[in-house]
Amino acid sequence: MLNRILNIAWKDFLHLWHNKILLVIVLLGGATELTLVGMATGAPIDDVRTVIYDADGSQISREMIARFEADETFAVTVADEPLPDDLNEIFTGALFGDDYIVAIDIPEGFGEELRAGRRPEVTIHLNAISALAATTARRKAEEILFYYGAEVAWPDVSRDELEAFEPQITVRYNEELDRAQYTTPSEAGFMLYVIAIGVAAFMLAREREFGSFEQLLVMPHHPMEILIGKAIPAVVLGYANFLLMLGVIHFIFGVPIRGSLPLLLVLALFYVLVELGVGFLLALVSRTQHQAVLLVMLVAFVDVAFSGYAAPVESMPPAMQTISLAFPIRHFLIILRGVLQKGVGLEILWPHVLALAALGLLINGAALLLFRRSLASER
Amino acid sequence: MRTHASNIIRHTFAIARKEIWHIIRDPISLFLVGFGPVIMLIIISYAFAVEVRDVPTLVLDLDRTEASRELIERLDATEVLDVIGTADDMSGVERAMDARMARVAVVIDRGLEAMFPAPSGDLLGMVAQLAALAQVGDRGLPVSYIVDGTEPISAETAIETAIKETNAFLVERARALLDMLPSSMQNLPEVQRAREQLETPIALEVITHYNPEEKTLWDLVPAMIAIVLTMPAMSVATVIAKERDQGTLEFLVATPAARLAILTGKMLPYVLIGVFNVLLMYLAAVGVFGLPFRGNLLLYVALMALYEFACLAIGLFFSIVIPNQEAALWVSLMFFLFPGFFLSGMFFPIVAMPLEMRMEAMSFPVSGGVFISRSLFLQGVGLDVVWWAVGILIYVGAIMLALSVLFFKKRIA
């Protein structure tokens, strides 16, 4: 029996071997995407294009501009002319021109009034064509203006004293608030799953499309053997991807592995087996590879939506939060982050492992049922 | 010559008609190509642009005074933080954070109420104490926050809210105490100085253009419209590759229909599907997500159709140079979909970055579509601003179509 299963699996490996492009993509795709995502998100938001018009021209206002220039968040241009009344002129984009994200207007008499403690007014215009950049720039500008203003207006209050007035903030698990530490585990959980269901779905759908599935069925194989044989390449490729990606996460992006690595490896394998059922289900509903790829994409995106891949589930409407519990990837991402960043183990993660087990039974059971049914109809 | 041209057009439409039949006969694919993009747009927008709100917050209140209760109520009243309960000690906080029950913990130490002078008694002493509120020195505030950093974007918003609310709480309480002083004292320099220090030194006016509430949704949705429009392009890649796998394509080439006619005929239905999708997604963006549309709708549809044409031409090219369907699938997936996400701003605001970085991003076809979609949606500009992106799309589309025709011929021969 084992022999027959391995034969079926071997056939699919051969198919991959003959398709070198496919093999390379499936094997390295996950780690490559992960690296790209990590690099894109890990970079801090800096050099935001900023134009400052200084109507005051005093030493104080020039010193303030110097503070903006010294800050990495801003790439400052000092304007010679007042900002235009119609800010579209400087805010809409040309490829080789300058479209600014931040425009700061310093009024006449700014320095004098600030020194006298009369609260001069500064106007900041934000081009929120990118909300993330606008928000980041606004926070940073507020900070610079507050501390520089306090320095000039209240010379007897030191910066330490000002800072002591703020509550103490301790950030846990990802102390630097590094975005890559968030996105790379997400991407790993996601790619592991996409590769596994993709391989399972495309291979099975290919056989159905070309009619070789029928040939497989008339062979003296038990249906379970066929299913397991088809599952092996998907599991192997998915898991190989995961190991590669784990290496990239840890060694390139510096995400710590604070919990038990063996536990994580076991749970990841378990997770691939759960998601495999999804791949089979998709392959069994679709009649062609074309349908399978569209379905895989659609299902993958629904999963992204509910998994907490990009935004915390707690911020979603309550109904979506409840629905999200039905998605295996949601539980796996909690497990993955829990083991990597929080260093917790089964004592805390057990509800999610149980949930994975229940979902796995349900999904794989449905796949088996559908497989039997399509078997009966095709025979 | 004229008959030749009209022949090509006739053949193009014949092929297009056949392709339309082909799509209609396969209802699952029809549904996925016709409605998949708008479904994806809605799902992704919901998932990625969730505004940070109701972050579960745990309280450890060791002060147990009116002041601490006031602060907690204040935090709970914000959109961002949601107080879910109280812990008895630090180990309770640790457990809740580890198990992800709470993502923020507020620890209020003894001495918060004591920071504020009692309203009765030595009035001048009270003023001095209030003026020195900003100078709590090494002790710091008896308020601290522990934040779960695993989700940095929501953590940053939570931190901003925590600091703002705590400061506003202190300032308002101090100001209320100053207001209680008899009017004879209000003009004293000490009192004025104390008031001054409760304000920020510079009055800052922030005016946010195009997207006044800085909602991520507003820049994400227009970008996603361009990104999910690549789905039909991937369909074309698989369809052509499949016909080659099955050998029906050779049959087609053997017919007198010019190669150009075959290829454009195959693309035409997908461009139409793309236009249909654009209209659906426009309705979803405006109707479901409440985005403003500030540009010219007709121009928008026309430019998006042009963008769809460029994407299809690239998909076509892949399916012709890459020898099998599965590989063509994966390549177009990697080429279209994934780079698109970097431009969408949901990971990283590439539009705000310096020129060199933008240039790199701009080498992907998706960037032109994202740029046009966003500019027309949010900024309401027209061809005078986006012309260069339009030029790139025409150029890419034409080159890819020409290359496809060329390679198509060579391989068959």
Side-chain angles (χ1 to χ4, degrees):
Chain A
M1 176 180 159
L2 190 66
N3 203 11
R4 288 199 296 260
I5 291 178
L6 287 180
N7 264 334
I8 295 176
W10 181 241
K11 194 181 77 72
D12 279 345
F13 277 121
L14 272 184
H15 168 71
L16 276 174
W17 184 248
H18 291 308
N19 276 287
K20 295 286 185 325
I21 304 181
L22 190 63
L23 186 68
V24 169
I25 292 173
V26 170
L27 216 53
L28 300 180
T32 314
E33 290 292 336
L34 179 82
T35 312
L36 286 176
V37 169
M39 278 173 5
T41 53
I45 297 171
D46 48 20
D47 293 333
V48 173
R49 294 187 305 284
T50 303
V51 58
I52 302 182
Y53 176 65
D54 179 9
D56 189 34
S58 66
Q59 203 197 331
I60 290 177
S61 68
R62 281 201 303 274
E63 171 64 24
M64 190 169 83
I65 293 174
R67 296 288 168 100
F68 275 92
E69 280 167 345
D71 195 286
E72 284 167 353
T73 309
F74 304 98
V76 176
T77 309
V78 179
D80 301 330
E81 293 166 15
L83 301 177
D85 287 335
D86 178 12
L87 284 161
N88 269 331
E89 284 173 30
I90 55 168
F91 276 175
T92 56
L95 180 55
F96 302 109
D98 285 319
D99 53 325
Y100 293 101
I101 300 294
V102 184
I104 303 178
D105 208 353
I106 304 175
E108 238 182 282
F110 169 80
E112 216 167 285
E113 284 187 34
L114 181 60
R115 201 196 296 279
R118 284 202 298 268
R119 294 195 87 216
E121 191 172 280
V122 167
T123 309
I124 296 185
H125 296 277
L126 291 176
N127 171 4
I129 189 83
S130 159
L132 192 56
T135 306
T136 309
R138 176 177 55 73
R139 284 181 190 156
K140 201 72 207 181
E142 282 171 355
E143 192 189 311
I144 292 177
L145 285 177
F146 176 76
Y147 283 113
Y148 182 65
E151 210 174 283
V152 177
W154 315 325
D156 52 332
V157 183
S158 76
R159 175 139 185 164
D160 284 351
E161 285 167 334
L162 287 173
E163 274 170 4
F165 192 53
E166 290 187 349
Q168 189 200 343
I169 309 263
T170 317
V171 179
R172 303 278 298 266
Y173 313 126
N174 172 9
E175 293 76 4
E176 307 285 314
L177 287 176
D178 175 8
R179 294 216 172 111
Q181 295 223 358
Y182 171 58
T183 53
T184 49
S186 287
E187 186 69 14
F190 177 64
M191 287 309 283
L192 165 64
Y193 151 78
V194 168
I195 302 261
I197 71 166
V199 170
F202 298 162
M203 289 215 169
L204 206 57
R206 186 174 56 90
E207 305 242 14
R208 282 164 62 89
E209 185 171 354
F210 291 105
S212 51
F213 194 57
E214 277 87 344
Q215 291 169 18
L216 208 58
L217 293 181
V218 295
M219 284 199 261
H221 288 8
H222 189 270
M224 272 309 276
E225 292 173 16
I226 299 177
L227 221 49
I228 296 175
K230 287 270 154 208
I232 290 175
V235 173
V236 169
L237 286 171
Y239 203 63
N241 259 289
F242 180 70
L243 293 180
L244 261 178
M245 291 189 290
L246 198 61
V248 172
I249 289 178
H250 182 61
F251 293 111
I252 298 186
F253 294 105
V255 178
I257 303 178
R258 294 192 172 123
S260 150
L261 184 62
L263 175 71
L264 182 62
L265 293 180
V266 170
L267 288 178
L269 186 63
F270 180 54
Y271 170 67
V272 180
L273 294 176
V274 172
E275 294 285 20
L276 204 61
V278 179
F280 283 142
L281 271 180
L282 296 183
L284 291 167
V285 231
S286 46
R287 276 198 313 276
T288 62
Q289 283 195 87
H290 184 204
Q291 289 177 359
V293 73
L294 290 172
L295 273 174
V296 165
M297 275 178 57
L298 202 63
V299 168
F301 280 110
V302 175
D303 268 23
V304 162
F306 286 102
S307 64
Y309 172 96
V313 177
E314 287 86 359
S315 295
M316 296 176 185
M320 267 179 92
Q321 292 187 35
T322 313
I323 298 172
S324 78
L325 293 175
F327 289 86
I329 188 172
R330 159 115 159 91
H331 300 286
F332 183 65
L333 286 185
I334 293 180
I335 292 173
L336 187 61
R337 286 192 219 290
V339 175
L340 290 180
Q341 294 178 311
K342 297 189 177 177
V344 295
L346 278 179
E347 74 286 354
I348 278 178
L349 298 172
W350 64 268
H352 300 289
V353 178
L354 272 188
L356 271 187
L359 290 169
L361 279 179
L362 205 69
I363 295 168
N364 283 291
L368 199 61
L369 212 68
L370 203 66
F371 184 61
R372 286 241 172 91
R373 226 208 276 137
S374 73
L375 220 63
S377 69
E378 288 189 39
R379 260 186 179 163
Chain B
M1 196 62 211
R2 241 188 75 206
T3 48
H4 187 63
S6 72
N7 257 348
I8 291 183
I9 292 172
R10 203 158 47 81
H11 286 308
T12 304
F13 282 110
I15 300 271
R17 206 175 311 124
K18 179 215 150 243
E19 191 65 27
I20 288 175
W21 270 113
H22 204 77
I23 299 172
I24 292 176
R25 277 220 328 266
D26 178 0
I28 297 186
S29 293
L30 178 66
F31 176 78
L32 289 176
V33 175
F35 294 91
V38 71
I39 296 174
M40 268 173 62
L41 172 79
I42 292 177
I43 291 169
I44 295 178
S45 301
Y46 264 124
F48 283 82
V50 174
E51 301 305 319
V52 179
R53 53 177 299 156
D54 297 337
V55 177
T57 304
L58 195 69
V59 174
L60 173 56
D61 182 4
L62 300 172
D63 199 40
R64 290 176 213 274
T65 55
E66 199 192 313
S68 68
R69 278 190 295 275
E70 205 179 302
L71 176 61
I72 294 163
E73 271 168 33
R74 210 185 159 106
L75 294 172
D76 196 22
T78 61
E79 290 258 288
V80 174
L81 301 176
D82 179 26
V83 174
I84 51 159
T86 53
D88 297 325
D89 48 26
M90 272 314 280
S91 68
V93 171
E94 300 277 339
R95 255 176 290 131
M97 303 269 304
D98 277 348
R100 219 171 176 281
M101 299 295 292
R103 300 197 45 241
V104 173
V106 197
V107 181
I108 305 178
D109 242 321
R110 264 179 284 273
L112 181 66
E113 175 88 58
M115 282 181 68
F116 300 97
S120 58
D122 173 18
L123 289 179
L124 264 181
M126 169 183 142
V127 171
Q129 201 175 343
L130 284 175
L133 202 57
Q135 298 166 26
V136 280
D138 302 334
R139 285 181 299 116
L141 274 185
V143 180
S144 57
Y145 292 86
I146 303 166
V147 180
D148 175 348
T150 48
E151 280 156 7
I153 293 187
S154 64
E156 274 170 20
T157 308
I159 289 174
E160 188 191 21
T161 309
I163 293 180
K164 273 205 170 135
E165 289 303 317
T166 314
N167 283 343
F169 160 78
L170 293 170
V171 164
E172 273 175 34
R173 217 157 192 270
R175 207 176 280 154
L177 287 171
L178 285 176
D179 287 345
M180 282 163 64
L181 292 173
S183 54
S184 58
M185 289 180 71
Q186 293 290 351
N187 286 330
L188 288 177
E190 290 93 335
V191 175
Q192 297 213 330
R193 172 98 178 134
R195 274 190 192 284
E196 220 174 73
Q197 294 209 346
L198 292 174
E199 303 261 18
T200 52
I202 297 173
L204 180 60
E205 189 191 10
V206 178
I207 304 171
T208 307
H209 297 254
Y210 310 123
N211 179 0
E213 289 170 51
E214 293 172 25
K215 285 187 180 170
T216 354
L217 195 69
W218 282 28
D219 63 87
L220 181 65
V221 169
M224 281 318 295
I225 290 182
I227 293 166
V228 297
L229 272 181
T230 57
M231 274 179 91
M234 285 184 267
S235 285
V236 154
T238 59
V239 165
I240 303 255
K242 176 184 163 189
E243 297 200 354
R244 293 205 18 214
D245 270 6
Q246 296 183 336
T248 46
L249 205 60
E250 276 78 0
F251 170 74
L252 273 176
V253 175
T255 67
R259 289 182 296 274
L260 183 66
I262 296 178
L263 295 182
T264 42
K266 288 228 167 259
M267 283 165 68
L268 207 58
Y270 291 95
V271 174
L272 292 180
I273 290 175
V275 169
F276 172 70
N277 275 317
V278 170
L279 289 172
L280 271 188
M281 289 193 283
Y282 161 79
L283 289 177
V286 175
V288 179
F289 296 114
L291 255 80
F293 183 82
R294 303 191 172 117
N296 179 331
L297 185 57
L298 213 61
L299 177 70
Y300 184 69
V301 173
L303 292 184
M304 284 291 120
L306 170 69
Y307 161 70
E308 183 75 315
F309 159 75
C311 288
L312 287 170
I314 297 169
L316 204 64
F317 178 70
F318 282 153
S319 64
I320 281 171
V321 290
I322 295 172
N324 77 72
Q325 191 185 355
E326 271 171 294
L329 263 179
W330 283 105
V331 169
S332 47
L333 208 67
M334 300 271 167
F335 191 78
F336 282 118
L337 210 54
F338 298 127
F341 285 102
F342 300 110
L343 298 161
S344 63
M346 66 192 168
F347 289 136
F348 191 68
I350 240 165
V351 285
M353 296 301 111
L355 204 60
E356 318 85 71
M357 265 182 97
R358 277 197 292 170
M359 295 288 282
E360 257 171 66
M362 282 300 167
S363 54
F364 282 101
V366 189
S367 9
V370 169
F371 170 77
I372 293 174
S373 182
R374 224 182 232 156
S375 299
L376 264 68
F377 248 97
L378 296 180
Q379 299 184 319
V381 294
L383 271 179
D384 53 326
V385 170
V386 301
W387 61 268
W388 58 268
V390 175
I392 292 178
L393 288 181
I394 294 175
Y395 175 75
V396 168
I399 292 269
M400 285 296 157
L401 188 59
L403 284 179
S404 301
V405 171
L406 202 72
F407 277 89
F408 196 30
K409 176 187 173 187
K410 278 198 178 149
R411 291 196 67 90
I412 303 304

